[in-house]
Amino acid sequence: MLKGIIFDMDGVIVNSEVSYLANVKKFMKKYNYDISFKELMYAIGRSDRQIWKYFYGLLKQKTPNKLYLEFLDFEAKHLPSYKEIVIPEFEKLICRLKDLNLKYALASSSPMRRINEMLALNNFEKIFDYKVTGEAFKVSKPN
């Protein structure tokens, strides 16, 4: 018997990966680094800690943490609102599932602050019984 459903955030609830990768590409150009498609794809499904350690290895500039903090500042100026990129089919699905008395969990490699921001902007806080971030684990996807 089905007791609950786990939803991924990026690419399932919001279409955030496209804008995130575009911002990474723009940010890397600031350092005169033309990041390849293969290098960009490393970011999909990984925690920010893993991503920026990898990107630091490409740039060899600053420290992974300083590079990440600089990117956060850059991204804040270029990221679309989570309200603008919500996937409409998710809202339709939740409406159809609401009478099934299931538990819902949100799992994401995104930082908890992004998860909370997305939930608040879309009024989704009450939908989820549980939420977990990849930051809570030493190793994230694909392990």
Side-chain angles (χ1 to χ4, degrees):
M1 177 178 194
L2 183 65
K3 294 182 181 182
I5 299 174
I6 302 171
F7 291 94
D8 189 7
M9 185 175 93
D10 302 296
V12 174
I13 298 174
V14 289
N15 192 13
S16 55
E17 290 176 332
V18 172
S19 58
Y20 179 80
L21 294 176
N23 283 333
V24 168
K25 193 166 181 69
K26 287 180 209 168
F27 180 78
M28 298 295 259
K29 279 199 185 277
K30 282 180 47 174
Y31 287 98
N32 296 316
Y33 190 87
D34 191 21
I35 191 166
S36 72
F37 179 77
K38 182 179 178 182
E39 290 165 334
L40 268 177
M41 290 300 99
Y42 179 84
I44 300 293
R46 288 186 166 80
S47 69
D48 281 357
R49 181 176 54 238
Q50 289 174 299
I51 293 167
W52 289 96
K53 187 175 180 183
Y54 174 75
F55 289 158
Y56 165 76
L58 299 176
L59 293 177
K60 302 277 194 257
Q61 303 252 348
K62 306 185 181 192
T63 64
N65 194 45
K66 284 184 180 178
L67 195 63
Y68 174 59
L69 292 174
E70 188 178 324
F71 175 74
L72 287 179
D73 184 52
F74 176 87
E75 183 183 42
K77 297 170 186 157
H78 298 90
L79 193 64
S81 167
Y82 280 117
K83 192 134 185 88
E84 297 170 8
I85 59 174
V86 69
I87 297 174
E89 289 80 5
F90 172 75
E91 292 179 282
K92 292 174 189 172
L93 176 64
I94 287 300
C95 287
R96 293 184 72 190
L97 293 174
K98 71 179 178 182
D99 295 330
L100 296 179
N101 200 26
L102 298 171
K103 296 284 185 185
Y104 299 108
L106 175 62
S108 178
S109 58
S110 291
M112 190 58 76
R113 65 177 171 68
R114 283 199 197 128
I115 293 170
N116 290 332
E117 179 185 354
M118 185 281 296
L119 292 173
L121 285 172
N122 290 294
N123 297 314
F124 291 163
E125 299 106 318
K126 293 181 180 168
I127 293 172
F128 295 97
D129 302 290
Y130 308 98
K131 55 188 176 180
V132 66
T133 172
E135 292 178 325
F137 304 94
K138 286 184 181 178
V139 179
S140 190
K141 292 188 254 178
N143 299 319

